[in-house]
Amino acid sequence: MELHDVWFVLIAVLWTGYFFLEGFDFGVGVLTKLLARNRVEKRVLINTIGPVWDGNEVWLLTAGGATFAAFPDWYATLFSGFYLPLLLILVCLIVRGVAFEYRAKRPEENWQRNWETAIFWTSLIPAFLWGVAFGNIVHGVKIDQHFEYVGSLWDLFNPYALLGGLVTLTLFTFHGTVFTALKTVGEIRERARKLATKVGLVAATLALIFLLWTQVDSGDAKSLIALAVAVVALVAALVANQAGREGWSFALSGVTIVAAVAMLFLTLFPNVMPSSLNADWSLTVTNASSSPYTLKIMTWCAGIATPIVLLYQSWTYWVFRKRIGTQHIAEAVH
């Protein structure tokens, strides 16, 4: 296996890790409107992800940096062609981080309610737009012979990509709901389990249509296996949720995300951005990659840094592993 193939796999792993971890972050953010009934319950939801949300975003930064270094032409075409949607995602992530930190800085009702609304929308919008972006990457976009995107903004919002956006939004919301059931106690935990069943059924329906469409369009035997794993895991997650096994339900919803993202990258390879105008104009792991020497240096750096990142992030999750409920929320002091 050539180094550019290795780095394609590593970038796929980074995006998979990001969607697995940030997926439930986005889901919990959406639940601040769908599940929480009062300000205390919203604080419970926010506190479930408070110690980990910023660490989860490290996976996005690493995925973007790895793409820039390993496949500069892919990075250039992607970020120029998808400039406005990706800019909107970036703005949402910035505002979302500020909202987490500033929400409790003042006691006024309007102040806190406005920041909570910001958390909701800045979780929902990226959860949707990431599906739109990856739907276009897999399905193909208008790339010319100079490897430049020549389509319009509205070309990105085609039926396949919009369906992909709905899949990521509902799947992340389901992932966040079972995470909430896993991390909370009391009434909010029971309501999270009930809501997870409803959201999970919608996510399962949309995901099945999207993945079947992907398989028919550009799939092979390997992607079909990934599709089967994703579907079986999602059904099993729903069953585990109904049985009150939140840990298993969360793990299986995570397997669903991993298998679904793996399927997308399997159908994409050896392309990194297919051209819908001419297959010969597609960006591939070969024509979009950096030099072998660059990839070699990157491989050594990744081999040293990655275990360290995994260790400290695993330690964070272990330290903050206990459940919380409304009884654990103290009165705010200003």
PDB file of all heavy atoms in Angstrom, residues 19 26 123-136 156-173 203 206-207 210 213 264:
ATOM      1  N   PHE A  19     -17.114  12.467  13.625  1.00  0.00           N
ATOM      2  CA  PHE A  19     -18.562  12.300  13.571  1.00  0.00           C
ATOM      3  C   PHE A  19     -19.078  11.449  14.732  1.00  0.00           C
ATOM      4  O   PHE A  19     -20.182  11.677  15.225  1.00  0.00           O
ATOM      5  CB  PHE A  19     -18.974  11.687  12.237  1.00  0.00           C
ATOM      6  CG  PHE A  19     -18.861  12.643  11.080  1.00  0.00           C
ATOM      7  CD1 PHE A  19     -18.413  12.216   9.840  1.00  0.00           C
ATOM      8  CD2 PHE A  19     -19.202  13.970  11.222  1.00  0.00           C
ATOM      9  CE1 PHE A  19     -18.304  13.096   8.776  1.00  0.00           C
ATOM     10  CE2 PHE A  19     -19.090  14.862  10.171  1.00  0.00           C
ATOM     11  CZ  PHE A  19     -18.634  14.426   8.940  1.00  0.00           C
ATOM     12  N   PHE A  26     -23.489  17.450  18.903  1.00  0.00           N
ATOM     13  CA  PHE A  26     -24.527  18.131  18.127  1.00  0.00           C
ATOM     14  C   PHE A  26     -25.916  17.671  18.561  1.00  0.00           C
ATOM     15  O   PHE A  26     -26.843  18.476  18.673  1.00  0.00           O
ATOM     16  CB  PHE A  26     -24.336  17.855  16.632  1.00  0.00           C
ATOM     17  CG  PHE A  26     -23.143  18.539  16.015  1.00  0.00           C
ATOM     18  CD1 PHE A  26     -22.382  17.894  15.041  1.00  0.00           C
ATOM     19  CD2 PHE A  26     -22.780  19.812  16.398  1.00  0.00           C
ATOM     20  CE1 PHE A  26     -21.294  18.520  14.462  1.00  0.00           C
ATOM     21  CE2 PHE A  26     -21.676  20.450  15.822  1.00  0.00           C
ATOM     22  CZ  PHE A  26     -20.935  19.798  14.855  1.00  0.00           C
ATOM     23  N   SER A 123     -25.794  23.855  16.701  1.00  0.00           N
ATOM     24  CA  SER A 123     -25.648  22.400  16.696  1.00  0.00           C
ATOM     25  C   SER A 123     -26.398  21.798  15.519  1.00  0.00           C
ATOM     26  O   SER A 123     -25.903  20.892  14.839  1.00  0.00           O
ATOM     27  CB  SER A 123     -26.169  21.799  18.006  1.00  0.00           C
ATOM     28  OG  SER A 123     -25.456  22.263  19.116  1.00  0.00           O
ATOM     29  N   LEU A 124     -27.603  22.303  15.267  1.00  0.00           N
ATOM     30  CA  LEU A 124     -28.436  21.765  14.194  1.00  0.00           C
ATOM     31  C   LEU A 124     -27.858  22.048  12.809  1.00  0.00           C
ATOM     32  O   LEU A 124     -27.807  21.145  11.957  1.00  0.00           O
ATOM     33  CB  LEU A 124     -29.846  22.349  14.314  1.00  0.00           C
ATOM     34  CG  LEU A 124     -30.919  21.821  13.347  1.00  0.00           C
ATOM     35  CD1 LEU A 124     -32.294  21.853  14.014  1.00  0.00           C
ATOM     36  CD2 LEU A 124     -30.970  22.643  12.055  1.00  0.00           C
ATOM     37  N   ILE A 125     -27.425  23.278  12.576  1.00  0.00           N
ATOM     38  CA  ILE A 125     -26.951  23.658  11.240  1.00  0.00           C
ATOM     39  C   ILE A 125     -25.715  22.866  10.811  1.00  0.00           C
ATOM     40  O   ILE A 125     -25.685  22.302   9.704  1.00  0.00           O
ATOM     41  CB  ILE A 125     -26.705  25.179  11.170  1.00  0.00           C
ATOM     42  CG1 ILE A 125     -28.043  25.926  11.289  1.00  0.00           C
ATOM     43  CG2 ILE A 125     -26.004  25.560   9.873  1.00  0.00           C
ATOM     44  CD1 ILE A 125     -27.890  27.434  11.424  1.00  0.00           C
ATOM     45  N   PRO A 126     -24.644  22.772  11.628  1.00  0.00           N
ATOM     46  CA  PRO A 126     -23.507  21.955  11.198  1.00  0.00           C
ATOM     47  C   PRO A 126     -23.860  20.480  11.033  1.00  0.00           C
ATOM     48  O   PRO A 126     -23.349  19.817  10.121  1.00  0.00           O
ATOM     49  CB  PRO A 126     -22.485  22.143  12.330  1.00  0.00           C
ATOM     50  CG  PRO A 126     -22.865  23.407  12.988  1.00  0.00           C
ATOM     51  CD  PRO A 126     -24.354  23.479  12.888  1.00  0.00           C
ATOM     52  N   ALA A 127     -24.724  19.951  11.916  1.00  0.00           N
ATOM     53  CA  ALA A 127     -25.120  18.545  11.787  1.00  0.00           C
ATOM     54  C   ALA A 127     -25.758  18.287  10.436  1.00  0.00           C
ATOM     55  O   ALA A 127     -25.579  17.216   9.846  1.00  0.00           O
ATOM     56  CB  ALA A 127     -26.094  18.175  12.912  1.00  0.00           C
ATOM     57  N   PHE A 128     -26.496  19.243   9.925  1.00  0.00           N
ATOM     58  CA  PHE A 128     -27.119  19.116   8.605  1.00  0.00           C
ATOM     59  C   PHE A 128     -26.112  19.360   7.482  1.00  0.00           C
ATOM     60  O   PHE A 128     -26.033  18.589   6.518  1.00  0.00           O
ATOM     61  CB  PHE A 128     -28.282  20.099   8.487  1.00  0.00           C
ATOM     62  CG  PHE A 128     -28.920  20.139   7.128  1.00  0.00           C
ATOM     63  CD1 PHE A 128     -29.748  19.110   6.695  1.00  0.00           C
ATOM     64  CD2 PHE A 128     -28.686  21.212   6.277  1.00  0.00           C
ATOM     65  CE1 PHE A 128     -30.333  19.148   5.434  1.00  0.00           C
ATOM     66  CE2 PHE A 128     -29.268  21.257   5.027  1.00  0.00           C
ATOM     67  CZ  PHE A 128     -30.097  20.223   4.586  1.00  0.00           C
ATOM     68  N   LEU A 129     -25.312  20.414   7.598  1.00  0.00           N
ATOM     69  CA  LEU A 129     -24.411  20.793   6.507  1.00  0.00           C
ATOM     70  C   LEU A 129     -23.273  19.798   6.303  1.00  0.00           C
ATOM     71  O   LEU A 129     -22.786  19.646   5.174  1.00  0.00           O
ATOM     72  CB  LEU A 129     -23.852  22.193   6.760  1.00  0.00           C
ATOM     73  CG  LEU A 129     -24.834  23.345   6.564  1.00  0.00           C
ATOM     74  CD1 LEU A 129     -24.143  24.688   6.834  1.00  0.00           C
ATOM     75  CD2 LEU A 129     -25.418  23.338   5.152  1.00  0.00           C
ATOM     76  N   TRP A 130     -22.829  19.116   7.364  1.00  0.00           N
ATOM     77  CA  TRP A 130     -21.795  18.100   7.157  1.00  0.00           C
ATOM     78  C   TRP A 130     -22.302  16.983   6.258  1.00  0.00           C
ATOM     79  O   TRP A 130     -21.572  16.460   5.413  1.00  0.00           O
ATOM     80  CB  TRP A 130     -21.317  17.517   8.493  1.00  0.00           C
ATOM     81  CG  TRP A 130     -20.321  18.364   9.223  1.00  0.00           C
ATOM     82  CD1 TRP A 130     -20.387  18.804  10.507  1.00  0.00           C
ATOM     83  CD2 TRP A 130     -19.075  18.879   8.706  1.00  0.00           C
ATOM     84  NE1 TRP A 130     -19.276  19.556  10.834  1.00  0.00           N
ATOM     85  CE2 TRP A 130     -18.458  19.609   9.747  1.00  0.00           C
ATOM     86  CE3 TRP A 130     -18.434  18.794   7.467  1.00  0.00           C
ATOM     87  CZ2 TRP A 130     -17.225  20.257   9.579  1.00  0.00           C
ATOM     88  CZ3 TRP A 130     -17.210  19.431   7.316  1.00  0.00           C
ATOM     89  CH2 TRP A 130     -16.620  20.149   8.354  1.00  0.00           C
ATOM     90  N   GLY A 131     -23.566  16.605   6.413  1.00  0.00           N
ATOM     91  CA  GLY A 131     -24.141  15.588   5.534  1.00  0.00           C
ATOM     92  C   GLY A 131     -24.249  16.072   4.104  1.00  0.00           C
ATOM     93  O   GLY A 131     -23.993  15.314   3.155  1.00  0.00           O
ATOM     94  N   VAL A 132     -24.605  17.346   3.930  1.00  0.00           N
ATOM     95  CA  VAL A 132     -24.675  17.933   2.587  1.00  0.00           C
ATOM     96  C   VAL A 132     -23.290  17.925   1.943  1.00  0.00           C
ATOM     97  O   VAL A 132     -23.136  17.558   0.771  1.00  0.00           O
ATOM     98  CB  VAL A 132     -25.234  19.372   2.655  1.00  0.00           C
ATOM     99  CG1 VAL A 132     -25.133  20.053   1.296  1.00  0.00           C
ATOM    100  CG2 VAL A 132     -26.683  19.362   3.130  1.00  0.00           C
ATOM    101  N   ALA A 133     -22.275  18.330   2.706  1.00  0.00           N
ATOM    102  CA  ALA A 133     -20.915  18.395   2.165  1.00  0.00           C
ATOM    103  C   ALA A 133     -20.414  17.018   1.746  1.00  0.00           C
ATOM    104  O   ALA A 133     -19.917  16.839   0.618  1.00  0.00           O
ATOM    105  CB  ALA A 133     -19.974  19.004   3.212  1.00  0.00           C
ATOM    106  N   PHE A 134     -20.551  16.028   2.608  1.00  0.00           N
ATOM    107  CA  PHE A 134     -20.048  14.697   2.271  1.00  0.00           C
ATOM    108  C   PHE A 134     -20.904  14.022   1.209  1.00  0.00           C
ATOM    109  O   PHE A 134     -20.409  13.204   0.430  1.00  0.00           O
ATOM    110  CB  PHE A 134     -19.938  13.837   3.531  1.00  0.00           C
ATOM    111  CG  PHE A 134     -18.617  13.981   4.213  1.00  0.00           C
ATOM    112  CD1 PHE A 134     -18.388  15.034   5.082  1.00  0.00           C
ATOM    113  CD2 PHE A 134     -17.587  13.097   3.968  1.00  0.00           C
ATOM    114  CE1 PHE A 134     -17.165  15.195   5.700  1.00  0.00           C
ATOM    115  CE2 PHE A 134     -16.356  13.238   4.573  1.00  0.00           C
ATOM    116  CZ  PHE A 134     -16.137  14.295   5.444  1.00  0.00           C
ATOM    117  N   GLY A 135     -22.192  14.361   1.160  1.00  0.00           N
ATOM    118  CA  GLY A 135     -23.018  13.856   0.071  1.00  0.00           C
ATOM    119  C   GLY A 135     -22.503  14.313  -1.278  1.00  0.00           C
ATOM    120  O   GLY A 135     -22.430  13.533  -2.238  1.00  0.00           O
ATOM    121  N   ASN A 136     -22.102  15.570  -1.360  1.00  0.00           N
ATOM    122  CA  ASN A 136     -21.551  16.095  -2.614  1.00  0.00           C
ATOM    123  C   ASN A 136     -20.187  15.504  -2.927  1.00  0.00           C
ATOM    124  O   ASN A 136     -19.879  15.209  -4.093  1.00  0.00           O
ATOM    125  CB  ASN A 136     -21.450  17.622  -2.532  1.00  0.00           C
ATOM    126  CG  ASN A 136     -22.770  18.303  -2.805  1.00  0.00           C
ATOM    127  OD1 ASN A 136     -23.272  18.299  -3.931  1.00  0.00           O
ATOM    128  ND2 ASN A 136     -23.359  18.898  -1.777  1.00  0.00           N
ATOM    129  N   LEU A 156     -24.793  22.524  -4.934  1.00  0.00           N
ATOM    130  CA  LEU A 156     -24.455  21.692  -3.785  1.00  0.00           C
ATOM    131  C   LEU A 156     -25.693  21.188  -3.056  1.00  0.00           C
ATOM    132  O   LEU A 156     -25.628  20.203  -2.329  1.00  0.00           O
ATOM    133  CB  LEU A 156     -23.570  22.484  -2.802  1.00  0.00           C
ATOM    134  CG  LEU A 156     -22.233  22.991  -3.356  1.00  0.00           C
ATOM    135  CD1 LEU A 156     -21.499  23.785  -2.281  1.00  0.00           C
ATOM    136  CD2 LEU A 156     -21.365  21.835  -3.842  1.00  0.00           C
ATOM    137  N   PHE A 157     -26.822  21.874  -3.253  1.00  0.00           N
ATOM    138  CA  PHE A 157     -28.050  21.486  -2.556  1.00  0.00           C
ATOM    139  C   PHE A 157     -28.954  20.664  -3.481  1.00  0.00           C
ATOM    140  O   PHE A 157     -30.094  21.034  -3.764  1.00  0.00           O
ATOM    141  CB  PHE A 157     -28.761  22.731  -2.016  1.00  0.00           C
ATOM    142  CG  PHE A 157     -27.973  23.433  -0.946  1.00  0.00           C
ATOM    143  CD1 PHE A 157     -27.132  24.492  -1.266  1.00  0.00           C
ATOM    144  CD2 PHE A 157     -28.048  23.021   0.374  1.00  0.00           C
ATOM    145  CE1 PHE A 157     -26.395  25.134  -0.285  1.00  0.00           C
ATOM    146  CE2 PHE A 157     -27.307  23.650   1.359  1.00  0.00           C
ATOM    147  CZ  PHE A 157     -26.478  24.715   1.028  1.00  0.00           C
ATOM    148  N   ASN A 158     -28.401  19.557  -3.945  1.00  0.00           N
ATOM    149  CA  ASN A 158     -29.136  18.631  -4.807  1.00  0.00           C
ATOM    150  C   ASN A 158     -29.851  17.602  -3.932  1.00  0.00           C
ATOM    151  O   ASN A 158     -29.573  17.495  -2.729  1.00  0.00           O
ATOM    152  CB  ASN A 158     -28.168  17.945  -5.784  1.00  0.00           C
ATOM    153  CG  ASN A 158     -27.004  17.277  -5.063  1.00  0.00           C
ATOM    154  OD1 ASN A 158     -27.147  16.191  -4.508  1.00  0.00           O
ATOM    155  ND2 ASN A 158     -25.841  17.935  -5.060  1.00  0.00           N
ATOM    156  N   PRO A 159     -30.793  16.835  -4.497  1.00  0.00           N
ATOM    157  CA  PRO A 159     -31.579  15.900  -3.668  1.00  0.00           C
ATOM    158  C   PRO A 159     -30.735  14.909  -2.875  1.00  0.00           C
ATOM    159  O   PRO A 159     -31.020  14.643  -1.698  1.00  0.00           O
ATOM    160  CB  PRO A 159     -32.459  15.190  -4.698  1.00  0.00           C
ATOM    161  CG  PRO A 159     -32.622  16.182  -5.800  1.00  0.00           C
ATOM    162  CD  PRO A 159     -31.311  16.911  -5.875  1.00  0.00           C
ATOM    163  N   TYR A 160     -29.693  14.360  -3.487  1.00  0.00           N
ATOM    164  CA  TYR A 160     -28.855  13.386  -2.773  1.00  0.00           C
ATOM    165  C   TYR A 160     -28.158  14.034  -1.583  1.00  0.00           C
ATOM    166  O   TYR A 160     -28.134  13.473  -0.481  1.00  0.00           O
ATOM    167  CB  TYR A 160     -27.817  12.810  -3.738  1.00  0.00           C
ATOM    168  CG  TYR A 160     -26.862  11.819  -3.104  1.00  0.00           C
ATOM    169  CD1 TYR A 160     -27.221  10.481  -2.945  1.00  0.00           C
ATOM    170  CD2 TYR A 160     -25.597  12.216  -2.674  1.00  0.00           C
ATOM    171  CE1 TYR A 160     -26.348   9.566  -2.364  1.00  0.00           C
ATOM    172  CE2 TYR A 160     -24.713  11.311  -2.096  1.00  0.00           C
ATOM    173  CZ  TYR A 160     -25.095   9.988  -1.944  1.00  0.00           C
ATOM    174  OH  TYR A 160     -24.240   9.096  -1.357  1.00  0.00           O
ATOM    175  N   ALA A 161     -27.594  15.222  -1.789  1.00  0.00           N
ATOM    176  CA  ALA A 161     -26.886  15.898  -0.708  1.00  0.00           C
ATOM    177  C   ALA A 161     -27.839  16.332   0.399  1.00  0.00           C
ATOM    178  O   ALA A 161     -27.516  16.235   1.592  1.00  0.00           O
ATOM    179  CB  ALA A 161     -26.128  17.107  -1.256  1.00  0.00           C
ATOM    180  N   LEU A 162     -29.014  16.814   0.033  1.00  0.00           N
ATOM    181  CA  LEU A 162     -29.999  17.218   1.044  1.00  0.00           C
ATOM    182  C   LEU A 162     -30.445  16.018   1.882  1.00  0.00           C
ATOM    183  O   LEU A 162     -30.623  16.134   3.107  1.00  0.00           O
ATOM    184  CB  LEU A 162     -31.205  17.872   0.371  1.00  0.00           C
ATOM    185  CG  LEU A 162     -30.955  19.250  -0.247  1.00  0.00           C
ATOM    186  CD1 LEU A 162     -32.187  19.719  -1.010  1.00  0.00           C
ATOM    187  CD2 LEU A 162     -30.571  20.279   0.815  1.00  0.00           C
ATOM    188  N   LEU A 163     -30.606  14.875   1.221  1.00  0.00           N
ATOM    189  CA  LEU A 163     -30.937  13.659   1.964  1.00  0.00           C
ATOM    190  C   LEU A 163     -29.803  13.291   2.917  1.00  0.00           C
ATOM    191  O   LEU A 163     -30.037  12.894   4.064  1.00  0.00           O
ATOM    192  CB  LEU A 163     -31.221  12.511   1.001  1.00  0.00           C
ATOM    193  CG  LEU A 163     -31.539  11.145   1.638  1.00  0.00           C
ATOM    194  CD1 LEU A 163     -32.760  11.246   2.554  1.00  0.00           C
ATOM    195  CD2 LEU A 163     -31.760  10.086   0.561  1.00  0.00           C
ATOM    196  N   GLY A 164     -28.564  13.446   2.439  1.00  0.00           N
ATOM    197  CA  GLY A 164     -27.419  13.194   3.314  1.00  0.00           C
ATOM    198  C   GLY A 164     -27.422  14.104   4.522  1.00  0.00           C
ATOM    199  O   GLY A 164     -27.091  13.685   5.632  1.00  0.00           O
ATOM    200  N   GLY A 165     -27.816  15.363   4.336  1.00  0.00           N
ATOM    201  CA  GLY A 165     -27.905  16.293   5.452  1.00  0.00           C
ATOM    202  C   GLY A 165     -28.948  15.873   6.469  1.00  0.00           C
ATOM    203  O   GLY A 165     -28.726  15.953   7.686  1.00  0.00           O
ATOM    204  N   LEU A 166     -30.099  15.406   5.987  1.00  0.00           N
ATOM    205  CA  LEU A 166     -31.145  14.940   6.898  1.00  0.00           C
ATOM    206  C   LEU A 166     -30.703  13.685   7.649  1.00  0.00           C
ATOM    207  O   LEU A 166     -31.050  13.495   8.820  1.00  0.00           O
ATOM    208  CB  LEU A 166     -32.430  14.661   6.110  1.00  0.00           C
ATOM    209  CG  LEU A 166     -33.142  15.887   5.531  1.00  0.00           C
ATOM    210  CD1 LEU A 166     -34.333  15.453   4.683  1.00  0.00           C
ATOM    211  CD2 LEU A 166     -33.596  16.830   6.643  1.00  0.00           C
ATOM    212  N   VAL A 167     -29.930  12.839   6.977  1.00  0.00           N
ATOM    213  CA  VAL A 167     -29.431  11.617   7.625  1.00  0.00           C
ATOM    214  C   VAL A 167     -28.486  11.972   8.770  1.00  0.00           C
ATOM    215  O   VAL A 167     -28.619  11.454   9.889  1.00  0.00           O
ATOM    216  CB  VAL A 167     -28.729  10.709   6.600  1.00  0.00           C
ATOM    217  CG1 VAL A 167     -27.979   9.576   7.316  1.00  0.00           C
ATOM    218  CG2 VAL A 167     -29.735  10.117   5.629  1.00  0.00           C
ATOM    219  N   THR A 168     -27.510  12.840   8.505  1.00  0.00           N
ATOM    220  CA  THR A 168     -26.574  13.188   9.580  1.00  0.00           C
ATOM    221  C   THR A 168     -27.290  13.921  10.718  1.00  0.00           C
ATOM    222  O   THR A 168     -26.993  13.684  11.896  1.00  0.00           O
ATOM    223  CB  THR A 168     -25.424  14.059   9.048  1.00  0.00           C
ATOM    224  OG1 THR A 168     -25.951  15.180   8.317  1.00  0.00           O
ATOM    225  CG2 THR A 168     -24.507  13.247   8.140  1.00  0.00           C
ATOM    226  N   LEU A 169     -28.235  14.781  10.384  1.00  0.00           N
ATOM    227  CA  LEU A 169     -28.959  15.502  11.428  1.00  0.00           C
ATOM    228  C   LEU A 169     -29.745  14.549  12.326  1.00  0.00           C
ATOM    229  O   LEU A 169     -29.649  14.622  13.561  1.00  0.00           O
ATOM    230  CB  LEU A 169     -29.906  16.524  10.789  1.00  0.00           C
ATOM    231  CG  LEU A 169     -30.840  17.279  11.745  1.00  0.00           C
ATOM    232  CD1 LEU A 169     -30.043  18.031  12.799  1.00  0.00           C
ATOM    233  CD2 LEU A 169     -31.746  18.225  10.974  1.00  0.00           C
ATOM    234  N   THR A 170     -30.500  13.646  11.737  1.00  0.00           N
ATOM    235  CA  THR A 170     -31.310  12.724  12.549  1.00  0.00           C
ATOM    236  C   THR A 170     -30.444  11.677  13.245  1.00  0.00           C
ATOM    237  O   THR A 170     -30.710  11.315  14.396  1.00  0.00           O
ATOM    238  CB  THR A 170     -32.362  12.029  11.683  1.00  0.00           C
ATOM    239  OG1 THR A 170     -31.725  11.382  10.556  1.00  0.00           O
ATOM    240  CG2 THR A 170     -33.384  13.026  11.155  1.00  0.00           C
ATOM    241  N   LEU A 171     -29.404  11.224  12.565  1.00  0.00           N
ATOM    242  CA  LEU A 171     -28.539  10.210  13.177  1.00  0.00           C
ATOM    243  C   LEU A 171     -27.759  10.800  14.350  1.00  0.00           C
ATOM    244  O   LEU A 171     -27.618  10.153  15.407  1.00  0.00           O
ATOM    245  CB  LEU A 171     -27.581   9.645  12.124  1.00  0.00           C
ATOM    246  CG  LEU A 171     -26.830   8.360  12.484  1.00  0.00           C
ATOM    247  CD1 LEU A 171     -27.797   7.253  12.873  1.00  0.00           C
ATOM    248  CD2 LEU A 171     -25.963   7.914  11.305  1.00  0.00           C
ATOM    249  N   PHE A 172     -27.249  12.015  14.190  1.00  0.00           N
ATOM    250  CA  PHE A 172     -26.538  12.668  15.300  1.00  0.00           C
ATOM    251  C   PHE A 172     -27.492  12.964  16.458  1.00  0.00           C
ATOM    252  O   PHE A 172     -27.106  12.858  17.628  1.00  0.00           O
ATOM    253  CB  PHE A 172     -25.884  13.968  14.829  1.00  0.00           C
ATOM    254  CG  PHE A 172     -24.716  13.774  13.908  1.00  0.00           C
ATOM    255  CD1 PHE A 172     -24.161  14.847  13.225  1.00  0.00           C
ATOM    256  CD2 PHE A 172     -24.167  12.518  13.693  1.00  0.00           C
ATOM    257  CE1 PHE A 172     -23.081  14.684  12.371  1.00  0.00           C
ATOM    258  CE2 PHE A 172     -23.087  12.326  12.836  1.00  0.00           C
ATOM    259  CZ  PHE A 172     -22.548  13.420  12.173  1.00  0.00           C
ATOM    260  N   THR A 173     -28.725  13.346  16.132  1.00  0.00           N
ATOM    261  CA  THR A 173     -29.697  13.610  17.195  1.00  0.00           C
ATOM    262  C   THR A 173     -30.011  12.332  17.961  1.00  0.00           C
ATOM    263  O   THR A 173     -30.107  12.334  19.201  1.00  0.00           O
ATOM    264  CB  THR A 173     -30.984  14.210  16.608  1.00  0.00           C
ATOM    265  OG1 THR A 173     -30.670  15.403  15.865  1.00  0.00           O
ATOM    266  CG2 THR A 173     -31.966  14.568  17.708  1.00  0.00           C
ATOM    267  N   ALA A 203     -34.379   8.284  11.742  1.00  0.00           N
ATOM    268  CA  ALA A 203     -32.997   8.182  11.263  1.00  0.00           C
ATOM    269  C   ALA A 203     -32.771   6.892  10.490  1.00  0.00           C
ATOM    270  O   ALA A 203     -32.093   6.878   9.450  1.00  0.00           O
ATOM    271  CB  ALA A 203     -32.031   8.263  12.443  1.00  0.00           C
ATOM    272  N   LEU A 206     -34.400   7.213   6.921  1.00  0.00           N
ATOM    273  CA  LEU A 206     -33.633   8.089   6.034  1.00  0.00           C
ATOM    274  C   LEU A 206     -32.271   7.488   5.692  1.00  0.00           C
ATOM    275  O   LEU A 206     -31.822   7.549   4.537  1.00  0.00           O
ATOM    276  CB  LEU A 206     -33.447   9.457   6.698  1.00  0.00           C
ATOM    277  CG  LEU A 206     -34.719  10.287   6.905  1.00  0.00           C
ATOM    278  CD1 LEU A 206     -34.401  11.550   7.696  1.00  0.00           C
ATOM    279  CD2 LEU A 206     -35.356  10.646   5.576  1.00  0.00           C
ATOM    280  N   ALA A 207     -31.615   6.891   6.693  1.00  0.00           N
ATOM    281  CA  ALA A 207     -30.290   6.310   6.466  1.00  0.00           C
ATOM    282  C   ALA A 207     -30.356   5.136   5.492  1.00  0.00           C
ATOM    283  O   ALA A 207     -29.484   4.984   4.622  1.00  0.00           O
ATOM    284  CB  ALA A 207     -29.672   5.863   7.786  1.00  0.00           C
ATOM    285  N   PHE A 210     -30.719   6.570   1.982  1.00  0.00           N
ATOM    286  CA  PHE A 210     -29.481   7.226   1.547  1.00  0.00           C
ATOM    287  C   PHE A 210     -28.382   6.210   1.241  1.00  0.00           C
ATOM    288  O   PHE A 210     -27.691   6.304   0.213  1.00  0.00           O
ATOM    289  CB  PHE A 210     -29.016   8.195   2.633  1.00  0.00           C
ATOM    290  CG  PHE A 210     -27.734   8.897   2.317  1.00  0.00           C
ATOM    291  CD1 PHE A 210     -27.696   9.923   1.389  1.00  0.00           C
ATOM    292  CD2 PHE A 210     -26.551   8.536   2.957  1.00  0.00           C
ATOM    293  CE1 PHE A 210     -26.507  10.580   1.095  1.00  0.00           C
ATOM    294  CE2 PHE A 210     -25.362   9.184   2.676  1.00  0.00           C
ATOM    295  CZ  PHE A 210     -25.336  10.212   1.740  1.00  0.00           C
ATOM    296  N   TRP A 213     -29.133   4.234  -1.899  1.00  0.00           N
ATOM    297  CA  TRP A 213     -28.883   5.105  -3.058  1.00  0.00           C
ATOM    298  C   TRP A 213     -27.385   5.148  -3.351  1.00  0.00           C
ATOM    299  O   TRP A 213     -26.953   5.031  -4.506  1.00  0.00           O
ATOM    300  CB  TRP A 213     -29.418   6.493  -2.756  1.00  0.00           C
ATOM    301  CG  TRP A 213     -29.429   7.458  -3.915  1.00  0.00           C
ATOM    302  CD1 TRP A 213     -28.755   7.335  -5.098  1.00  0.00           C
ATOM    303  CD2 TRP A 213     -30.144   8.702  -3.993  1.00  0.00           C
ATOM    304  NE1 TRP A 213     -28.993   8.416  -5.910  1.00  0.00           N
ATOM    305  CE2 TRP A 213     -29.841   9.269  -5.253  1.00  0.00           C
ATOM    306  CE3 TRP A 213     -30.982   9.380  -3.120  1.00  0.00           C
ATOM    307  CZ2 TRP A 213     -30.374  10.504  -5.652  1.00  0.00           C
ATOM    308  CZ3 TRP A 213     -31.506  10.601  -3.515  1.00  0.00           C
ATOM    309  CH2 TRP A 213     -31.211  11.152  -4.769  1.00  0.00           C
ATOM    310  N   LEU A 264     -19.108   5.455   2.962  1.00  0.00           N
ATOM    311  CA  LEU A 264     -18.912   6.606   2.080  1.00  0.00           C
ATOM    312  C   LEU A 264     -17.481   6.662   1.557  1.00  0.00           C
ATOM    313  O   LEU A 264     -17.253   6.902   0.362  1.00  0.00           O
ATOM    314  CB  LEU A 264     -19.258   7.899   2.822  1.00  0.00           C
ATOM    315  CG  LEU A 264     -20.723   8.087   3.243  1.00  0.00           C
ATOM    316  CD1 LEU A 264     -20.908   9.428   3.928  1.00  0.00           C
ATOM    317  CD2 LEU A 264     -21.659   7.949   2.058  1.00  0.00           C
TER     318      LEU A 264
END
